[in-house]
Amino acid sequence: MLFNNLKKMIICDPVCVQEFGHSLIAIKRYNSYLKSKGLETDIFISRLLKDKINLDLPKEANFYYSHYYALVLPNKDTSKDEKSQRILDSSIESNDEIIKQLALEELIEIIDSVEESSKTGIFFPSIDYYSLSALISILEKKDLKPLPKFFIRWIGVMENSYIDKNNIDPLLLCRRLGTINKLNENLEMSFSAESKPYARNLSVELNQNVIPTPTFIQEDKNQLPELSSKFKIAFPGSSRVDKGLLRINNILSQIENKFNLFEYEAYFQFPNPSELYSHYLDIRELLKNPRVRCYPTSVSQDILRKYIGFSNILVTPYDSKTYLYRSSAIMAEAACYGRQIASSSDCGFSEELEELSIGKCGSNDEEIARIIYEFYSLSRDKMLATVDKARFLYLNYLESSYQEFFNFAL
C-alpha cells in the first residue's frame, strides 16, 4: 500500500492540552487513518492530559509535551506540571526563551528515539510556532545524522501564536524552512495546509508544493430529519464573534422579514464567559427570540453530531478576514453527516465548500438568509441528492489529498 518506504509515523501535537476540541479528535482520527495504511504509530501530546479518565485515547498515546502556550491558553492543570509552570512563573523577558528551549529539547528527544530514520515519519497535524522554530534550529546544524521524514501541516492558528513580539515572523520561519529543505538533498519533507488559499500562499513562501489537506473526518452519514412544520437551523461550533455570533440575530431577522412563509427553530452554543461579558446586550437580544435554543458552551463530538443530525441546515457566518486562510471542521462534518451549509464568502474554506457542493456562500446577512430560504424550498429528494453528491465529492477529495501529502500509493 505504501511506496514511500515508511513503516512508522510519529504524530506530534504539543497544543493538544484540552479534553474537548478539534486537536484531540484529530489525533484519534489521524492515528486510525495511518494505522489503516499499514503504519505503526506513536502519539505525543501534552502531559496535562495524563490524569484525564474520559479521553478514550488509543494505546499509542504518550503524555509528553510541556504546555508551551500556558500564557495564551490557560489550563487549570498547568500548576501540576513543573516545566509548564516555569513558563507562567518566569518574567516576560525570559519566558519566551524558556519555551524555545523546552520545545527544542522535547523535539530532539523525539528525533533521537527514532530507530530507523529512513522508515519513520514525524507528522505535525497542526504545526505550532515553537515546534516550527525548534525544527529549524535542529535542521540548521551542520553534520546532521540521518533524519526521519517530516510531514508539516499548517492550519493558520498556532503557527502564528508566540509570546515575544520580537520573535521572527512566522512567514520568515516558513521561508527559512523552505530554503533548508531545498538545499539539503538528504532531507525529506512534505508540506500541506488546511485550505486551498493557504496552500497557494505557503507554496510561494516555501518555494515548493504545498498540498491542501482538509479537516480529516470520515464519519457515517446522518439521516435527514423528516419534514415537519419547523425548519431547524443550526449555528454549530463555538459561539465567538469571529464565527459570526453577533450576526445570528440579524440573519434570523432577515429570514422573518423577507421570508416569513416558514416556521423555524435556531440552535447555537452558549457563548463563553469572555464573549458574554463583552457582548451581553447583543446576546440578550438574541435570546429574546422565542425560536432560539441554546446548547452548552462546550459539547462533545457525540452531542455535536446529534444536534447537526436533527438540523435541516448549518450556518457558518464567519468573519472573512479572520478566516481568510482557514478551513472549517464544520464544513467537513456537514459533508460527512449529510447537511448543507449557508456560509460567508471569501473565507479560506469558501472555495472548497462550493466546489464540493457542500453549500453556498453569501457576502452579507441578507444573502445568507436567502440561501437558507433556498435550501428550505428544496424538496426532500433534491436535498438528499445534493448531500449525497457532497459527501461523495468530499470523501474523494479527502482521500486523494492525504494520499498525495503522505505519498501513499493510490
Side-chain angles (χ1 to χ4, degrees), residues 285-327:
E285 283 303 306
L286 174 60
L287 293 175
K288 285 181 180 179
N289 188 330
R291 301 173 181 84
V292 170
R293 307 285 184 270
C294 275
Y295 275 84
T297 303
S298 296
V299 299
S300 68
Q301 190 65 22
D302 285 342
I303 293 176
L304 178 65
R305 181 184 175 92
K306 286 177 182 176
Y307 89 77
I308 287 177
F310 64 65
S311 300
N312 296 89
I313 187 173
L314 311 184
V315 187
T316 55
Y318 294 179
D319 176 63
S320 57
K321 291 182 180 178
T322 304
Y323 277 80
L324 179 63
Y325 290 125
R326 292 174 61 179
S327 189

Side-chain angles (χ1 to χ4, degrees), residues 30-94:
Y30 283 123
N31 186 63
S32 296
Y33 171 72
L34 292 166
K35 289 176 72 174
S36 76
K37 298 297 184 182
L39 290 174
E40 298 175 30
T41 59
D42 220 346
I43 299 170
F44 291 88
I45 55 177
S46 172
R47 290 192 299 271
L48 302 191
L49 291 172
K50 185 174 183 179
D51 297 325
K52 307 303 178 183
I53 59 175
N54 297 316
L55 300 183
D56 191 27
L57 283 166
K59 60 181 177 58
E60 294 85 5
N62 297 280
F63 302 102
Y64 174 77
Y65 281 111
S66 305
H67 185 17
Y68 305 157
Y69 298 91
L71 287 163
V72 294
L73 294 174
N75 189 299
K76 60 183 175 59
D77 295 315
T78 301
S79 60
K80 300 176 184 178
D81 183 75
E82 182 181 351
K83 289 185 178 179
S84 299
Q85 183 62 29
R86 282 177 59 205
I87 296 168
L88 291 179
D89 291 343
S90 60
S91 67
I92 294 298
E93 289 75 21
S94 64

Side-chain angles (χ1 to χ4, degrees), residues 17-222:
V17 298
Q18 304 289 346
E19 296 173 69
F20 294 105
H22 296 308
S23 291
L24 195 61
I25 295 167
I27 287 289
K28 297 177 186 180
R29 287 170 173 162
Y30 283 123
N31 186 63
S32 296
Y33 171 72
L34 292 166
K35 289 176 72 174
S36 76
K37 298 297 184 182
L39 290 174
E40 298 175 30
T41 59
D42 220 346
I43 299 170
F44 291 88
I45 55 177
S46 172
R47 290 192 299 271
L48 302 191
L49 291 172
K50 185 174 183 179
D51 297 325
K52 307 303 178 183
I53 59 175
N54 297 316
L55 300 183
D56 191 27
L57 283 166
K59 60 181 177 58
E60 294 85 5
N62 297 280
F63 302 102
Y64 174 77
Y65 281 111
S66 305
H67 185 17
Y68 305 157
Y69 298 91
L71 287 163
V72 294
L73 294 174
N75 189 299
K76 60 183 175 59
D77 295 315
T78 301
S79 60
K80 300 176 184 178
D81 183 75
E82 182 181 351
K83 289 185 178 179
S84 299
Q85 183 62 29
R86 282 177 59 205
I87 296 168
L88 291 179
D89 291 343
S90 60
S91 67
I92 294 298
E93 289 75 21
S94 64
N95 56 23
D96 195 77
E97 292 306 314
I98 290 172
I99 300 168
K100 285 180 178 177
Q101 187 60 36
L102 282 172
L104 182 60
E105 290 172 357
E106 290 175 354
L107 184 54
I108 287 173
E109 189 173 332
I110 290 174
I111 292 172
D112 286 346
S113 72
V114 172
E115 295 179 359
E116 294 182 276
S117 58
S118 65
K119 297 181 179 179
T120 303
I122 293 180
F123 169 39
F124 285 90
S126 54
I127 191 68
D128 67 282
Y129 183 89
Y130 291 105
S131 295
L132 183 59
S133 179
L135 178 59
I136 289 172
S137 295
I138 292 168
L139 298 179
E140 285 182 334
K141 292 180 179 179
K142 295 181 180 179
D143 303 319
L144 286 172
K145 68 175 186 178
L147 291 170
K149 299 175 175 66
F150 291 95
F151 299 86
I152 311 297
R153 183 171 180 263
W154 277 265
I155 70 167
V157 184
M158 296 310 292
E159 65 264 46
N160 300 306
S161 181
Y162 46 92
I163 309 304
D164 186 350
K165 297 308 176 186
N166 293 319
N167 267 321
I168 296 173
D169 183 271
L171 287 181
L172 292 179
L173 277 185
C174 181
R175 291 169 195 159
R176 280 170 62 178
L177 183 61
T179 300
I180 293 167
N181 189 41
K182 284 284 189 181
L183 294 177
N184 190 338
E185 61 183 18
N186 295 318
L187 186 61
E188 294 187 65
M189 306 190 79
S190 184
F191 303 114
S192 80
E194 74 163 5
S195 73
K196 286 188 174 182
Y198 201 18
R200 289 192 290 265
N201 184 57
L202 289 174
S203 293
V204 175
E205 300 297 338
L206 287 159
N207 192 27
Q208 52 208 281
N209 187 36
V210 177
I211 300 150
T213 49
T215 302
F216 194 97
I217 296 177
Q218 290 177 317
E219 297 281 350
D220 293 336
K221 185 178 175 182
N222 222 327

Side-chain angles (χ1 to χ4, degrees), residues 4 39 127 227 231 234 243 304 310 317 337 352 373 396:
N4 57 12
L39 290 174
I127 191 68
L227 293 176
F231 189 73
K243 291 194 172 187
L304 178 65
F310 64 65
Y337 295 156
E352 288 154 305
Y373 180 72
N396 275 280

